Amino acid sequence: MKKLLYLIVTISLISFSCSEDYLERGSLTQLAEGNFWQNEQDALLGINGIYEVLQDRVMYSGNLNGTAGLPQHDSFADNTFNNYKFEGPGNFVEGRADPSYGFFDTFWTALYRGIGRANNALENIENIPAENIDAENKDALIGQVKFLRALFYFHLAVYFEDVPLITEFQTLEEAYVPKANYSEIRAFIEQELREAAAVLPVSYPASQFGYATRGAALSLLARFELYNGNYQEVVNLTSEIMGLGYSLHPDYGQLFTENAEQSPEIIFSVRFIQDQSDNGETFSSTFLGIPKVNVQPMPNMVDAYLASDGLPISESPLYDPADRKANRDPRLGHSVYFNGDIFLLYLNRPFRGNTATTFGLKKYVRNDVSDDGINPGAPGGQDFYVIRYADVLLMRAEALVETGQFAEVYDLLDQIRQRAGMPTVTDVNGTTLSQEELLDLVKLERRVELAFEGLRFFDVKRWGEVEEAYARAAADPVGPYNPEYRGRRSEVFAIPLSELDANPNLVQNPVWD
């Protein structure tokens, strides 16, 4: 690890800054070791410092004109075009990334910064005197730390695969850690999430909304088990999650706005608040002359949405190629701007179709000034939904298909279709589909339901379909854009060269040698 990383969380002085209250995002504070980690309030404040890492631009805050964050990761596949290729995905997909690429370094460093803070918190919370912290609350706080540490390692496992496994605070002398293999990382993540789920509460008081719950830990575990093909365990986990009180938000169009941030559909989100400083997120920001030009929906993505009769556009008599928005799945209109759509309400400004793809990103993107007069080009206060209940239903549907348990799949898909205002699978396709046909429907539903939420690369990689995704992107009439599939180099990130230079015990992933 970089020496700088460990200076951030050194035992002699906790020098990281964190939100005084993660949920309220108040002023930042410096924490001194001599008078910190003494009681429950200190523990909560220290945990807020871990949550704060999730708000990094390269993590869930995203960017309008800078290093890409996780909300922009659909651009690593075929859903969106990263027009500002220097942000990360564009250059990666076009094959211009190597271990010295700055995006790799920024993402890696943020993930290990979070892990370092988590390790520091665990060590210190364990040592808080019993009389200064309620035992049950202490367990729940430790559960939150383990959930967060598992979330950071989840991203390392998916994107980098074999990485150093660091589970305790380390001094600089102990920092030169070799890689662990993927199976070790996997076992650790699964153990962390099971231990977290065992002690985390199902919910918190409204004033504490946003902290990790049992449902969050179980859902992240289900996502990781799905990634690893452990389908029966996904069925088991989602059964438990479905009994925790979550439900689909009734209005898909409203869901991705601040008005729905505390919907019972949201299982875990990264919280943000908008103010006049740069304290907010930028994944919901947009340029004022053209909608979020750095992240543009791809034509093949637009074509993936069904017609409003539930048929593909290649089969539906309702589809009009001269009006691609008409008679389509309502989620398309909630997610994508078409030529002529008003994308800035306060200016009554229409989108002129003047992006490289001819489409504009609408989902999550603000279209008006805030109540305090902050325009959509400034940092915002939209929470990013890391896991929502619709994803859980789709994970369950996929796992059931993969294990040959078809009966319930129709109802799961129908719930999501009905919420979207679409005909059900049962009505359009019947209930006697083959395993392959059902799996194709699940994959399609994941693509359109979860579009532009940063999960597309996660999906196509675990399905073994990255090359197909690149081919779809390359076939789109978008220029200049030249996706180049390079085998495993298109499926795994390189360990940053700066890390290899700093750590003599760390070796590059063989894919990048």
Side-chain angles (χ1 to χ4, degrees), residues 42-77:
D42 289 350
L44 185 59
L45 187 58
I47 287 175
N48 289 343
I50 311 171
Y51 281 99
E52 189 263 346
V53 175
L54 299 179
Q55 298 171 324
D56 278 6
R57 295 281 183 241
V58 75
M59 294 296 292
Y60 291 101
S61 175
N63 237 318
L64 190 61
N65 187 4
T67 304
L70 286 158
Q72 298 159 263
H73 279 209
D74 275 20
S75 291
F76 284 109

PDB file of all heavy atoms in Angstrom, residues 42-77:
ATOM      1  N   ASP A  42     -17.986   8.720  20.349  1.00  0.00           N
ATOM      2  CA  ASP A  42     -16.731   8.707  19.589  1.00  0.00           C
ATOM      3  C   ASP A  42     -16.766   7.608  18.521  1.00  0.00           C
ATOM      4  O   ASP A  42     -16.327   7.814  17.382  1.00  0.00           O
ATOM      5  CB  ASP A  42     -15.539   8.460  20.518  1.00  0.00           C
ATOM      6  CG  ASP A  42     -15.228   9.643  21.407  1.00  0.00           C
ATOM      7  OD1 ASP A  42     -15.805  10.725  21.188  1.00  0.00           O
ATOM      8  OD2 ASP A  42     -14.406   9.483  22.330  1.00  0.00           O
ATOM      9  N   ALA A  43     -17.282   6.444  18.901  1.00  0.00           N
ATOM     10  CA  ALA A  43     -17.349   5.330  17.952  1.00  0.00           C
ATOM     11  C   ALA A  43     -18.229   5.686  16.760  1.00  0.00           C
ATOM     12  O   ALA A  43     -17.883   5.410  15.604  1.00  0.00           O
ATOM     13  CB  ALA A  43     -17.873   4.081  18.652  1.00  0.00           C
ATOM     14  N   LEU A  44     -19.367   6.317  17.035  1.00  0.00           N
ATOM     15  CA  LEU A  44     -20.265   6.703  15.961  1.00  0.00           C
ATOM     16  C   LEU A  44     -19.605   7.727  15.044  1.00  0.00           C
ATOM     17  O   LEU A  44     -19.706   7.648  13.809  1.00  0.00           O
ATOM     18  CB  LEU A  44     -21.560   7.260  16.535  1.00  0.00           C
ATOM     19  CG  LEU A  44     -22.658   7.613  15.528  1.00  0.00           C
ATOM     20  CD1 LEU A  44     -23.054   6.392  14.718  1.00  0.00           C
ATOM     21  CD2 LEU A  44     -23.866   8.192  16.245  1.00  0.00           C
ATOM     22  N   LEU A  45     -18.913   8.675  15.642  1.00  0.00           N
ATOM     23  CA  LEU A  45     -18.226   9.686  14.845  1.00  0.00           C
ATOM     24  C   LEU A  45     -17.125   9.051  13.996  1.00  0.00           C
ATOM     25  O   LEU A  45     -16.936   9.397  12.823  1.00  0.00           O
ATOM     26  CB  LEU A  45     -17.640  10.758  15.764  1.00  0.00           C
ATOM     27  CG  LEU A  45     -17.017  11.990  15.108  1.00  0.00           C
ATOM     28  CD1 LEU A  45     -18.030  12.699  14.218  1.00  0.00           C
ATOM     29  CD2 LEU A  45     -16.492  12.945  16.173  1.00  0.00           C
ATOM     30  N   GLY A  46     -16.400   8.099  14.559  1.00  0.00           N
ATOM     31  CA  GLY A  46     -15.368   7.411  13.800  1.00  0.00           C
ATOM     32  C   GLY A  46     -15.939   6.614  12.646  1.00  0.00           C
ATOM     33  O   GLY A  46     -15.362   6.580  11.548  1.00  0.00           O
ATOM     34  N   ILE A  47     -17.095   5.988  12.851  1.00  0.00           N
ATOM     35  CA  ILE A  47     -17.749   5.236  11.779  1.00  0.00           C
ATOM     36  C   ILE A  47     -18.211   6.179  10.670  1.00  0.00           C
ATOM     37  O   ILE A  47     -18.131   5.843   9.477  1.00  0.00           O
ATOM     38  CB  ILE A  47     -18.921   4.416  12.353  1.00  0.00           C
ATOM     39  CG1 ILE A  47     -18.380   3.237  13.155  1.00  0.00           C
ATOM     40  CG2 ILE A  47     -19.834   3.917  11.237  1.00  0.00           C
ATOM     41  CD1 ILE A  47     -19.448   2.442  13.861  1.00  0.00           C
ATOM     42  N   ASN A  48     -18.648   7.373  11.056  1.00  0.00           N
ATOM     43  CA  ASN A  48     -19.033   8.339  10.027  1.00  0.00           C
ATOM     44  C   ASN A  48     -17.877   8.621   9.073  1.00  0.00           C
ATOM     45  O   ASN A  48     -18.089   8.898   7.892  1.00  0.00           O
ATOM     46  CB  ASN A  48     -19.492   9.644  10.676  1.00  0.00           C
ATOM     47  CG  ASN A  48     -20.825   9.512  11.379  1.00  0.00           C
ATOM     48  OD1 ASN A  48     -21.567   8.571  11.137  1.00  0.00           O
ATOM     49  ND2 ASN A  48     -21.131  10.442  12.266  1.00  0.00           N
ATOM     50  N   GLY A  49     -16.662   8.548   9.588  1.00  0.00           N
ATOM     51  CA  GLY A  49     -15.498   8.759   8.746  1.00  0.00           C
ATOM     52  C   GLY A  49     -15.335   7.673   7.694  1.00  0.00           C
ATOM     53  O   GLY A  49     -14.748   7.915   6.634  1.00  0.00           O
ATOM     54  N   ILE A  50     -15.848   6.471   7.968  1.00  0.00           N
ATOM     55  CA  ILE A  50     -15.809   5.391   6.971  1.00  0.00           C
ATOM     56  C   ILE A  50     -16.883   5.640   5.921  1.00  0.00           C
ATOM     57  O   ILE A  50     -16.631   5.523   4.719  1.00  0.00           O
ATOM     58  CB  ILE A  50     -16.015   4.019   7.634  1.00  0.00           C
ATOM     59  CG1 ILE A  50     -15.111   3.850   8.847  1.00  0.00           C
ATOM     60  CG2 ILE A  50     -15.735   2.901   6.618  1.00  0.00           C
ATOM     61  CD1 ILE A  50     -15.421   2.612   9.666  1.00  0.00           C
ATOM     62  N   TYR A  51     -18.085   5.989   6.373  1.00  0.00           N
ATOM     63  CA  TYR A  51     -19.143   6.313   5.425  1.00  0.00           C
ATOM     64  C   TYR A  51     -18.717   7.448   4.496  1.00  0.00           C
ATOM     65  O   TYR A  51     -19.086   7.483   3.315  1.00  0.00           O
ATOM     66  CB  TYR A  51     -20.418   6.726   6.162  1.00  0.00           C
ATOM     67  CG  TYR A  51     -21.231   5.586   6.716  1.00  0.00           C
ATOM     68  CD1 TYR A  51     -21.147   5.228   8.058  1.00  0.00           C
ATOM     69  CD2 TYR A  51     -22.114   4.882   5.910  1.00  0.00           C
ATOM     70  CE1 TYR A  51     -21.907   4.195   8.581  1.00  0.00           C
ATOM     71  CE2 TYR A  51     -22.888   3.852   6.415  1.00  0.00           C
ATOM     72  CZ  TYR A  51     -22.785   3.503   7.758  1.00  0.00           C
ATOM     73  OH  TYR A  51     -23.536   2.475   8.262  1.00  0.00           O
ATOM     74  N   GLU A  52     -17.935   8.378   5.037  1.00  0.00           N
ATOM     75  CA  GLU A  52     -17.524   9.539   4.244  1.00  0.00           C
ATOM     76  C   GLU A  52     -16.724   9.129   3.015  1.00  0.00           C
ATOM     77  O   GLU A  52     -16.792   9.783   1.967  1.00  0.00           O
ATOM     78  CB  GLU A  52     -16.719  10.501   5.127  1.00  0.00           C
ATOM     79  CG  GLU A  52     -16.415  11.846   4.500  1.00  0.00           C
ATOM     80  CD  GLU A  52     -15.040  11.899   3.890  1.00  0.00           C
ATOM     81  OE1 GLU A  52     -14.227  11.003   4.164  1.00  0.00           O
ATOM     82  OE2 GLU A  52     -14.787  12.839   3.116  1.00  0.00           O
ATOM     83  N   VAL A  53     -15.998   8.023   3.085  1.00  0.00           N
ATOM     84  CA  VAL A  53     -15.236   7.550   1.931  1.00  0.00           C
ATOM     85  C   VAL A  53     -16.183   7.195   0.787  1.00  0.00           C
ATOM     86  O   VAL A  53     -15.856   7.377  -0.398  1.00  0.00           O
ATOM     87  CB  VAL A  53     -14.349   6.347   2.304  1.00  0.00           C
ATOM     88  CG1 VAL A  53     -13.641   5.777   1.080  1.00  0.00           C
ATOM     89  CG2 VAL A  53     -13.328   6.755   3.363  1.00  0.00           C
ATOM     90  N   LEU A  54     -17.369   6.697   1.116  1.00  0.00           N
ATOM     91  CA  LEU A  54     -18.338   6.362   0.083  1.00  0.00           C
ATOM     92  C   LEU A  54     -18.756   7.596  -0.715  1.00  0.00           C
ATOM     93  O   LEU A  54     -19.261   7.472  -1.838  1.00  0.00           O
ATOM     94  CB  LEU A  54     -19.582   5.714   0.699  1.00  0.00           C
ATOM     95  CG  LEU A  54     -19.382   4.406   1.459  1.00  0.00           C
ATOM     96  CD1 LEU A  54     -20.707   3.915   2.015  1.00  0.00           C
ATOM     97  CD2 LEU A  54     -18.750   3.340   0.577  1.00  0.00           C
ATOM     98  N   GLN A  55     -18.545   8.777  -0.141  1.00  0.00           N
ATOM     99  CA  GLN A  55     -18.936  10.016  -0.807  1.00  0.00           C
ATOM    100  C   GLN A  55     -17.840  10.569  -1.715  1.00  0.00           C
ATOM    101  O   GLN A  55     -18.031  11.615  -2.340  1.00  0.00           O
ATOM    102  CB  GLN A  55     -19.307  11.065   0.254  1.00  0.00           C
ATOM    103  CG  GLN A  55     -20.485  10.652   1.118  1.00  0.00           C
ATOM    104  CD  GLN A  55     -20.703  11.591   2.297  1.00  0.00           C
ATOM    105  OE1 GLN A  55     -19.752  12.111   2.884  1.00  0.00           O
ATOM    106  NE2 GLN A  55     -21.952  11.810   2.645  1.00  0.00           N
ATOM    107  N   ASP A  56     -16.701   9.883  -1.813  1.00  0.00           N
ATOM    108  CA  ASP A  56     -15.648  10.327  -2.724  1.00  0.00           C
ATOM    109  C   ASP A  56     -16.186  10.400  -4.153  1.00  0.00           C
ATOM    110  O   ASP A  56     -17.065   9.635  -4.553  1.00  0.00           O
ATOM    111  CB  ASP A  56     -14.475   9.345  -2.699  1.00  0.00           C
ATOM    112  CG  ASP A  56     -13.534   9.566  -1.529  1.00  0.00           C
ATOM    113  OD1 ASP A  56     -13.848  10.401  -0.664  1.00  0.00           O
ATOM    114  OD2 ASP A  56     -12.480   8.892  -1.494  1.00  0.00           O
ATOM    115  N   ARG A  57     -15.598  11.287  -4.945  1.00  0.00           N
ATOM    116  CA  ARG A  57     -15.999  11.410  -6.340  1.00  0.00           C
ATOM    117  C   ARG A  57     -15.822  10.084  -7.096  1.00  0.00           C
ATOM    118  O   ARG A  57     -16.654   9.712  -7.916  1.00  0.00           O
ATOM    119  CB  ARG A  57     -15.170  12.500  -7.022  1.00  0.00           C
ATOM    120  CG  ARG A  57     -15.431  13.900  -6.460  1.00  0.00           C
ATOM    121  CD  ARG A  57     -16.699  14.490  -7.006  1.00  0.00           C
ATOM    122  NE  ARG A  57     -16.908  15.851  -6.527  1.00  0.00           N
ATOM    123  CZ  ARG A  57     -17.941  16.248  -5.808  1.00  0.00           C
ATOM    124  NH1 ARG A  57     -18.891  15.388  -5.466  1.00  0.00           N
ATOM    125  NH2 ARG A  57     -18.061  17.496  -5.428  1.00  0.00           N
ATOM    126  N   VAL A  58     -14.727   9.360  -6.820  1.00  0.00           N
ATOM    127  CA  VAL A  58     -14.482   8.105  -7.528  1.00  0.00           C
ATOM    128  C   VAL A  58     -15.336   6.968  -6.979  1.00  0.00           C
ATOM    129  O   VAL A  58     -15.455   5.924  -7.604  1.00  0.00           O
ATOM    130  CB  VAL A  58     -12.988   7.725  -7.461  1.00  0.00           C
ATOM    131  CG1 VAL A  58     -12.623   7.184  -6.076  1.00  0.00           C
ATOM    132  CG2 VAL A  58     -12.609   6.734  -8.548  1.00  0.00           C
ATOM    133  N   MET A  59     -15.972   7.212  -5.836  1.00  0.00           N
ATOM    134  CA  MET A  59     -16.893   6.218  -5.291  1.00  0.00           C
ATOM    135  C   MET A  59     -18.307   6.567  -5.746  1.00  0.00           C
ATOM    136  O   MET A  59     -18.590   6.519  -6.928  1.00  0.00           O
ATOM    137  CB  MET A  59     -16.745   6.165  -3.770  1.00  0.00           C
ATOM    138  CG  MET A  59     -15.386   5.636  -3.325  1.00  0.00           C
ATOM    139  SD  MET A  59     -15.076   3.908  -3.802  1.00  0.00           S
ATOM    140  CE  MET A  59     -16.261   3.065  -2.769  1.00  0.00           C
ATOM    141  N   TYR A  60     -19.203   6.948  -4.836  1.00  0.00           N
ATOM    142  CA  TYR A  60     -20.598   7.114  -5.224  1.00  0.00           C
ATOM    143  C   TYR A  60     -21.007   8.547  -5.521  1.00  0.00           C
ATOM    144  O   TYR A  60     -22.129   8.781  -5.984  1.00  0.00           O
ATOM    145  CB  TYR A  60     -21.499   6.516  -4.143  1.00  0.00           C
ATOM    146  CG  TYR A  60     -21.405   5.010  -4.083  1.00  0.00           C
ATOM    147  CD1 TYR A  60     -20.638   4.374  -3.111  1.00  0.00           C
ATOM    148  CD2 TYR A  60     -22.061   4.219  -5.021  1.00  0.00           C
ATOM    149  CE1 TYR A  60     -20.548   2.988  -3.065  1.00  0.00           C
ATOM    150  CE2 TYR A  60     -21.976   2.832  -4.977  1.00  0.00           C
ATOM    151  CZ  TYR A  60     -21.220   2.226  -4.000  1.00  0.00           C
ATOM    152  OH  TYR A  60     -21.128   0.867  -3.977  1.00  0.00           O
ATOM    153  N   SER A  61     -20.145   9.512  -5.288  1.00  0.00           N
ATOM    154  CA  SER A  61     -20.503  10.884  -5.632  1.00  0.00           C
ATOM    155  C   SER A  61     -20.534  11.088  -7.138  1.00  0.00           C
ATOM    156  O   SER A  61     -21.320  11.866  -7.663  1.00  0.00           O
ATOM    157  CB  SER A  61     -19.517  11.873  -4.999  1.00  0.00           C
ATOM    158  OG  SER A  61     -19.781  13.180  -5.422  1.00  0.00           O
ATOM    159  N   GLY A  62     -19.668  10.386  -7.846  1.00  0.00           N
ATOM    160  CA  GLY A  62     -19.601  10.551  -9.285  1.00  0.00           C
ATOM    161  C   GLY A  62     -19.002  11.892  -9.664  1.00  0.00           C
ATOM    162  O   GLY A  62     -18.588  12.680  -8.814  1.00  0.00           O
ATOM    163  N   ASN A  63     -18.968  12.166 -10.959  1.00  0.00           N
ATOM    164  CA  ASN A  63     -18.345  13.398 -11.422  1.00  0.00           C
ATOM    165  C   ASN A  63     -19.053  13.928 -12.651  1.00  0.00           C
ATOM    166  O   ASN A  63     -19.665  13.173 -13.407  1.00  0.00           O
ATOM    167  CB  ASN A  63     -16.862  13.172 -11.736  1.00  0.00           C
ATOM    168  CG  ASN A  63     -15.969  14.109 -10.937  1.00  0.00           C
ATOM    169  OD1 ASN A  63     -16.289  15.302 -10.804  1.00  0.00           O
ATOM    170  ND2 ASN A  63     -14.888  13.596 -10.395  1.00  0.00           N
ATOM    171  N   LEU A  64     -18.946  15.235 -12.827  1.00  0.00           N
ATOM    172  CA  LEU A  64     -19.481  15.884 -14.010  1.00  0.00           C
ATOM    173  C   LEU A  64     -18.389  16.134 -15.039  1.00  0.00           C
ATOM    174  O   LEU A  64     -18.651  16.188 -16.233  1.00  0.00           O
ATOM    175  CB  LEU A  64     -20.151  17.214 -13.626  1.00  0.00           C
ATOM    176  CG  LEU A  64     -20.978  17.913 -14.703  1.00  0.00           C
ATOM    177  CD1 LEU A  64     -22.131  17.036 -15.146  1.00  0.00           C
ATOM    178  CD2 LEU A  64     -21.506  19.250 -14.178  1.00  0.00           C
ATOM    179  N   ASN A  65     -17.177  16.248 -14.556  1.00  0.00           N
ATOM    180  CA  ASN A  65     -16.049  16.520 -15.451  1.00  0.00           C
ATOM    181  C   ASN A  65     -14.770  16.179 -14.696  1.00  0.00           C
ATOM    182  O   ASN A  65     -13.981  17.045 -14.342  1.00  0.00           O
ATOM    183  CB  ASN A  65     -16.065  17.992 -15.874  1.00  0.00           C
ATOM    184  CG  ASN A  65     -15.031  18.296 -16.944  1.00  0.00           C
ATOM    185  OD1 ASN A  65     -14.343  17.405 -17.427  1.00  0.00           O
ATOM    186  ND2 ASN A  65     -14.919  19.557 -17.306  1.00  0.00           N
ATOM    187  N   GLY A  66     -14.582  14.891 -14.414  1.00  0.00           N
ATOM    188  CA  GLY A  66     -13.437  14.427 -13.645  1.00  0.00           C
ATOM    189  C   GLY A  66     -13.476  12.916 -13.535  1.00  0.00           C
ATOM    190  O   GLY A  66     -14.267  12.251 -14.219  1.00  0.00           O
ATOM    191  N   THR A  67     -12.648  12.354 -12.666  1.00  0.00           N
ATOM    192  CA  THR A  67     -12.558  10.900 -12.533  1.00  0.00           C
ATOM    193  C   THR A  67     -13.934  10.285 -12.302  1.00  0.00           C
ATOM    194  O   THR A  67     -14.680  10.717 -11.425  1.00  0.00           O
ATOM    195  CB  THR A  67     -11.628  10.526 -11.373  1.00  0.00           C
ATOM    196  OG1 THR A  67     -10.359  11.140 -11.589  1.00  0.00           O
ATOM    197  CG2 THR A  67     -11.445   9.020 -11.296  1.00  0.00           C
ATOM    198  N   ALA A  68     -14.268   9.284 -13.080  1.00  0.00           N
ATOM    199  CA  ALA A  68     -15.593   8.668 -13.022  1.00  0.00           C
ATOM    200  C   ALA A  68     -15.819   7.976 -11.690  1.00  0.00           C
ATOM    201  O   ALA A  68     -14.937   7.305 -11.159  1.00  0.00           O
ATOM    202  CB  ALA A  68     -15.764   7.677 -14.164  1.00  0.00           C
ATOM    203  N   GLY A  69     -17.037   8.101 -11.174  1.00  0.00           N
ATOM    204  CA  GLY A  69     -17.439   7.384  -9.983  1.00  0.00           C
ATOM    205  C   GLY A  69     -18.285   6.177 -10.327  1.00  0.00           C
ATOM    206  O   GLY A  69     -18.642   5.942 -11.492  1.00  0.00           O
ATOM    207  N   LEU A  70     -18.635   5.396  -9.309  1.00  0.00           N
ATOM    208  CA  LEU A  70     -19.404   4.168  -9.530  1.00  0.00           C
ATOM    209  C   LEU A  70     -20.734   4.384 -10.249  1.00  0.00           C
ATOM    210  O   LEU A  70     -21.153   3.514 -11.021  1.00  0.00           O
ATOM    211  CB  LEU A  70     -19.618   3.462  -8.189  1.00  0.00           C
ATOM    212  CG  LEU A  70     -18.369   2.759  -7.646  1.00  0.00           C
ATOM    213  CD1 LEU A  70     -18.469   2.552  -6.145  1.00  0.00           C
ATOM    214  CD2 LEU A  70     -18.160   1.422  -8.355  1.00  0.00           C
ATOM    215  N   PRO A  71     -21.436   5.511 -10.056  1.00  0.00           N
ATOM    216  CA  PRO A  71     -22.671   5.708 -10.826  1.00  0.00           C
ATOM    217  C   PRO A  71     -22.445   5.733 -12.338  1.00  0.00           C
ATOM    218  O   PRO A  71     -23.401   5.552 -13.106  1.00  0.00           O
ATOM    219  CB  PRO A  71     -23.176   7.067 -10.328  1.00  0.00           C
ATOM    220  CG  PRO A  71     -22.625   7.192  -8.948  1.00  0.00           C
ATOM    221  CD  PRO A  71     -21.260   6.564  -9.033  1.00  0.00           C
ATOM    222  N   GLN A  72     -21.200   5.936 -12.773  1.00  0.00           N
ATOM    223  CA  GLN A  72     -20.899   6.034 -14.199  1.00  0.00           C
ATOM    224  C   GLN A  72     -20.368   4.724 -14.789  1.00  0.00           C
ATOM    225  O   GLN A  72     -19.965   4.685 -15.959  1.00  0.00           O
ATOM    226  CB  GLN A  72     -19.867   7.144 -14.419  1.00  0.00           C
ATOM    227  CG  GLN A  72     -20.359   8.525 -13.995  1.00  0.00           C
ATOM    228  CD  GLN A  72     -19.220   9.500 -13.736  1.00  0.00           C
ATOM    229  OE1 GLN A  72     -18.796   9.711 -12.607  1.00  0.00           O
ATOM    230  NE2 GLN A  72     -18.711  10.102 -14.789  1.00  0.00           N
ATOM    231  N   HIS A  73     -20.395   3.646 -14.010  1.00  0.00           N
ATOM    232  CA  HIS A  73     -19.738   2.424 -14.456  1.00  0.00           C
ATOM    233  C   HIS A  73     -20.491   1.659 -15.534  1.00  0.00           C
ATOM    234  O   HIS A  73     -19.964   0.683 -16.071  1.00  0.00           O
ATOM    235  CB  HIS A  73     -19.437   1.527 -13.257  1.00  0.00           C
ATOM    236  CG  HIS A  73     -18.201   1.924 -12.531  1.00  0.00           C
ATOM    237  ND1 HIS A  73     -17.415   1.028 -11.841  1.00  0.00           N
ATOM    238  CD2 HIS A  73     -17.585   3.127 -12.388  1.00  0.00           C
ATOM    239  CE1 HIS A  73     -16.380   1.661 -11.298  1.00  0.00           C
ATOM    240  NE2 HIS A  73     -16.479   2.932 -11.618  1.00  0.00           N
ATOM    241  N   ASP A  74     -21.705   2.082 -15.898  1.00  0.00           N
ATOM    242  CA  ASP A  74     -22.336   1.472 -17.069  1.00  0.00           C
ATOM    243  C   ASP A  74     -21.523   1.755 -18.329  1.00  0.00           C
ATOM    244  O   ASP A  74     -21.669   1.057 -19.344  1.00  0.00           O
ATOM    245  CB  ASP A  74     -23.757   2.007 -17.249  1.00  0.00           C
ATOM    246  CG  ASP A  74     -24.784   1.254 -16.414  1.00  0.00           C
ATOM    247  OD1 ASP A  74     -24.378   0.604 -15.433  1.00  0.00           O
ATOM    248  OD2 ASP A  74     -25.984   1.334 -16.729  1.00  0.00           O
ATOM    249  N   SER A  75     -20.661   2.770 -18.262  1.00  0.00           N
ATOM    250  CA  SER A  75     -19.824   3.107 -19.420  1.00  0.00           C
ATOM    251  C   SER A  75     -18.681   2.119 -19.617  1.00  0.00           C
ATOM    252  O   SER A  75     -17.981   2.180 -20.632  1.00  0.00           O
ATOM    253  CB  SER A  75     -19.254   4.524 -19.270  1.00  0.00           C
ATOM    254  OG  SER A  75     -20.273   5.491 -19.375  1.00  0.00           O
ATOM    255  N   PHE A  76     -18.467   1.194 -18.679  1.00  0.00           N
ATOM    256  CA  PHE A  76     -17.494   0.123 -18.877  1.00  0.00           C
ATOM    257  C   PHE A  76     -18.079  -1.014 -19.717  1.00  0.00           C
ATOM    258  O   PHE A  76     -17.402  -2.005 -19.963  1.00  0.00           O
ATOM    259  CB  PHE A  76     -16.997  -0.423 -17.541  1.00  0.00           C
ATOM    260  CG  PHE A  76     -16.009   0.473 -16.851  1.00  0.00           C
ATOM    261  CD1 PHE A  76     -16.358   1.167 -15.710  1.00  0.00           C
ATOM    262  CD2 PHE A  76     -14.724   0.635 -17.351  1.00  0.00           C
ATOM    263  CE1 PHE A  76     -15.457   2.000 -15.073  1.00  0.00           C
ATOM    264  CE2 PHE A  76     -13.813   1.464 -16.725  1.00  0.00           C
ATOM    265  CZ  PHE A  76     -14.173   2.157 -15.584  1.00  0.00           C
ATOM    266  N   ALA A  77     -19.333  -0.854 -20.126  1.00  0.00           N
ATOM    267  CA  ALA A  77     -19.971  -1.875 -20.950  1.00  0.00           C
ATOM    268  C   ALA A  77     -20.704  -1.196 -22.102  1.00  0.00           C
ATOM    269  O   ALA A  77     -20.135  -0.346 -22.782  1.00  0.00           O
ATOM    270  CB  ALA A  77     -20.891  -2.743 -20.094  1.00  0.00           C
TER     271      ALA A  77
END
